[in-house]
Amino acid sequence: MASRAKNPKKHGPKWWLISLIAVIVACAVVIGVTVAYGKKSDSADASAKNMIADTVTIGLKLAPTNLDIRNTAGSALDQVLIGNVYEGIVARDSKNQVAPGLASSWEESKDGLTYTFHLNKNMSFSNGDKLDAEDVAWSINELIAKQYHDADALTAVSKVEAKNADTVVMTLKTPNSNLLWTLTGRAGLVFDKDAKYDLKTQAVGSGPYTVAKFVENDSITLKANDKYWGKNKAKTPTVVVKYLADDNAAVNALKSGDVQVLAPITETLAGPFKSDSANYTVKAGNGTDKYVLGFNNASGSKLADKRIRQAIRYAINHKEIIASRGGADKALGGPIPSLDPGYEDLTKLYPYDQAKAKSLMAEAGYSTDKPLELSLTYANIYGTELGDQLRSQLKPIGIDLKVNVVEFSTWLQDVYTNHDFDISLVDHNESHDFYSWADPTYYFGYDNADVQKLYNEGVAATTDKERDAKFAEAAKLISEDAPADWLFNYRITTVTAKGVKGFPFDLNQTVLPLYNVTYSLAEFSQK
């Protein structure tokens, strides 16, 4: 400043004014840029938030024939409706354990004969009707009285009462170590007794979603339930479940963006998606799926001869089959998978041994020169490769296998209902379904009094250790008897497009909670 005072003419008489204006202009530019940038950033943030899709489309394989979960068999209904549309008194978590559902807690008496459930408060159905203990008691009592699907799992139940609006008491005639597990499925679902709707095409439940549209063998559209009472509110307003029985069509739907999730997909078909990790996530999840090659054990069947059943088991090269599918699956030598009570590794009971298989077939009167003609019937959702492999593996031991690949509805009618088959192939994906081997009326037609006794003792056990021991002993007897071959414990491979979050990988063929699923278009657009 001193220098300027001494030489005022150097800057002219208004140098200070010019300097002030320059400073003001510079500040204005800085402020303007900051504001503009801030607005742009705010706009970008808002845009990103708005890029969460309103709809997620999920490609599944096994389609339900209708929505009547009280009367219609098939795990496809459990997969999409339980936990999403209908809720049970208790639920199942992703680790295959019993968890709170409509009941927040419960107690079991020491003798195992009384269960007291404490319900959440302020619950309602999707139509606005209140949900309380009376609805719970009515639903379970109605299931038992009308013998709806899975009612046979509650034969030990004597009565179910609403003690008050928030408390349900269930009394048993005999202890049932499977009771809580059973109640995580259809047996524990709670319905609105006052609602009027078509059970085959509509649903009124209490879950985070409602059924907006059902197209048989094609799709189910779920809409967020605006009257949902619980903590698992739907994060995506609309979820479309698209059923894609054909593997190639399913892969093309994922590639084209018609679906954002595909579950399941074979390891082989998942290969290109694994290679494109920038755009897709591929993961194999644990599950209880058992690919069962079930034999018709009924008296008079060609497979009533144990030697033939044993020969088939020895002739099957399980390692080869698993390897051909990409290697993600696990060998399974008996009816109980690793996540279920009573599991024991039984894979060494029937190792691959063609010589032993041929010997057993010869004892039964068959050879390659005089083959036994058998039919294998299974649904087209499993493709043709397994049938081709089994035909090839059984031919050298003297079995001429005719493979019939049919619609799932045909399989349900011919095999499951009418028991008209020699050999069947199906993915039994239900957990805790060991009971089927103790039921001689089930489509396998397997009738073993020792197995039934052990199973019933396991069910009546009052400790998990005792239950598991009984089940394991029964499972070993079953495997030795060879009423079926367990090809493998199927591990579900799922592909999701980048931007999909919250989709469950484990157990997603039986437990598929969708409330947490979102799809970020912003992340997708950054590919």
Side-chain angles (χ1 to χ4, degrees), residues 41-221:
S41 297
D42 291 345
S43 175
D45 288 344
S47 176
K49 289 178 181 178
N50 292 331
M51 291 295 275
I52 299 298
D54 290 335
T55 302
V56 176
T57 303
I58 296 167
L60 301 181
K61 199 159 198 175
L62 190 58
T65 54
N66 63 66
L67 299 183
D68 187 358
I69 199 165
R70 283 187 152 184
N71 294 295
T72 305
S75 60
L77 278 177
D78 305 59
Q79 180 185 25
V80 73
L81 294 183
I82 296 180
N84 293 314
V85 177
Y86 293 114
E87 293 181 298
I89 188 170
V90 288
R92 192 187 319 175
D93 66 19
S94 61
K95 298 187 184 209
N96 213 26
Q97 300 296 315
V98 178
L102 296 176
S104 57
S105 62
W106 54 88
E107 296 101 35
E108 177 185 354
S109 62
K110 289 184 179 180
D111 60 7
L113 296 177
T114 304
Y115 288 76
T116 303
F117 297 92
H118 304 285
L119 305 184
N120 292 286
K121 298 183 183 298
N122 302 317
M123 298 187 296
S124 66
F125 292 102
S126 59
N127 60 3
D129 288 356
K130 183 179 179 182
L131 192 166
D132 59 20
E134 288 189 7
D135 296 291
V136 176
W138 174 83
S139 296
I140 299 175
N141 286 326
E142 187 82 349
L143 175 120
I144 295 170
K146 299 285 181 66
Q147 285 297 290
Y148 292 133
H149 196 282
D150 282 357
D152 55 346
L154 296 183
T155 53
V157 175
S158 174
K159 59 183 177 179
V160 185
E161 300 174 293
K163 185 175 180 181
N164 54 52
D166 303 319
T167 309
V168 174
V169 177
M170 186 176 293
T171 306
L172 279 62
K173 293 172 279 191
T174 57
N176 183 353
S177 61
N178 284 333
L179 178 70
L180 287 173
W181 176 261
T182 298
L183 293 175
T184 68
R186 298 193 191 198
L189 295 182
V190 177
F191 300 87
D192 183 355
K193 61 181 170 50
D194 298 320
K196 306 296 181 185
Y197 59 99
D198 184 348
L199 281 168
K200 291 190 174 182
T201 59
Q202 299 171 309
V204 176
S206 59
Y209 281 101
T210 63
V211 174
K213 185 179 181 182
F214 169 66
V215 180
E216 185 178 348
N217 292 319
D218 180 79
S219 64
I220 295 176
T221 301

Side-chain angles (χ1 to χ4, degrees), residues 255-305:
K255 286 179 178 177
S256 67
D258 288 344
V259 301
Q260 288 79 55
V261 179
L262 199 55
I265 183 173
T266 66
E267 282 287 300
T268 304
L269 291 176
F273 298 106
K274 284 183 178 179
S275 301
D276 189 7
S277 59
N279 293 326
Y280 300 97
T281 297
V282 181
K283 185 176 179 181
N286 294 316
T288 58
D289 293 60
K290 304 160 290 294
Y291 264 60
V292 181
L293 193 68
F295 307 146
N296 190 337
N297 294 268
S299 177
S301 164
K302 295 176 182 178
L303 288 154
D305 188 331

Side-chain angles (χ1 to χ4, degrees), residues 142-443:
E142 187 82 349
L143 175 120
I144 295 170
K146 299 285 181 66
Q147 285 297 290
Y148 292 133
H149 196 282
D150 282 357
D152 55 346
L154 296 183
T155 53
V157 175
S158 174
K159 59 183 177 179
V160 185
E161 300 174 293
K163 185 175 180 181
N164 54 52
D166 303 319
T167 309
V168 174
V169 177
M170 186 176 293
T171 306
L172 279 62
K173 293 172 279 191
T174 57
N176 183 353
S177 61
N178 284 333
L179 178 70
L180 287 173
W181 176 261
T182 298
L183 293 175
T184 68
R186 298 193 191 198
L189 295 182
V190 177
F191 300 87
D192 183 355
K193 61 181 170 50
D194 298 320
K196 306 296 181 185
Y197 59 99
D198 184 348
L199 281 168
K200 291 190 174 182
T201 59
Q202 299 171 309
V204 176
S206 59
Y209 281 101
T210 63
V211 174
K213 185 179 181 182
F214 169 66
V215 180
E216 185 178 348
N217 292 319
D218 180 79
S219 64
I220 295 176
T221 301
L222 303 175
K223 292 284 186 183
N225 176 11
D226 59 7
K227 295 183 176 63
Y228 178 60
W229 61 273
K231 63 180 181 180
N232 296 332
K233 292 185 181 297
K235 291 184 177 179
T236 299
T238 303
V239 173
V240 178
V241 176
K242 184 76 176 171
Y243 293 101
L244 302 163
D246 181 79
D247 285 342
N248 291 323
V251 167
N252 289 334
L254 183 62
K255 286 179 178 177
S256 67
D258 288 344
V259 301
Q260 288 79 55
V261 179
L262 199 55
I265 183 173
T266 66
E267 282 287 300
T268 304
L269 291 176
F273 298 106
K274 284 183 178 179
S275 301
D276 189 7
S277 59
N279 293 326
Y280 300 97
T281 297
V282 181
K283 185 176 179 181
N286 294 316
T288 58
D289 293 60
K290 304 160 290 294
Y291 264 60
V292 181
L293 193 68
F295 307 146
N296 190 337
N297 294 268
S299 177
S301 164
K302 295 176 182 178
L303 288 154
D305 188 331
K306 182 178 179 179
R307 293 170 300 184
I308 295 173
R309 303 196 305 268
Q310 290 179 311
I312 292 173
R313 294 204 65 188
Y314 280 122
I316 295 174
N317 189 332
H318 298 88
K319 289 183 179 179
E320 183 180 274
I321 289 175
I322 291 172
S324 72
R325 292 170 51 84
D329 303 319
K330 293 181 179 178
L332 182 64
I336 301 179
S338 59
L339 292 178
D340 278 358
Y343 169 74
E344 181 183 357
D345 184 357
L346 301 174
T347 55
K348 294 181 180 179
L349 287 179
Y350 286 92
Y352 176 55
D353 190 332
Q354 267 203 347
K356 192 171 285 188
K358 288 178 181 179
S359 176
L360 285 164
M361 288 298 292
E363 285 182 30
Y366 300 98
S367 66
T368 52
D369 294 329
K370 184 188 174 184
L372 171 63
E373 294 183 356
L374 293 174
S375 63
L376 167 62
T377 305
Y378 66 93
N380 56 8
I381 55 175
Y382 304 118
T384 60
E385 186 176 350
L386 276 171
D388 293 340
Q389 287 176 306
L390 290 167
R391 183 197 294 115
S392 176
Q393 290 187 2
L394 296 183
K395 186 176 180 179
I397 70 166
I399 291 178
D400 182 4
L401 192 66
K402 179 184 178 183
V403 179
N404 300 317
V405 180
V406 300
E407 295 288 335
F408 181 67
S409 57
T410 302
W411 181 90
L412 277 174
Q413 185 63 43
D414 293 350
V415 178
Y416 185 83
T417 303
N418 295 335
H419 306 177
D420 183 14
F421 72 104
D422 290 330
I423 304 176
S424 167
L425 169 64
V426 69
D427 172 12
H428 281 271
N429 59 11
E430 300 92 343
S431 182
H432 287 60
D433 62 354
F434 185 46
Y435 62 85
S436 61
W437 297 101
D439 179 5
T441 68
Y442 201 63
Y443 79 92

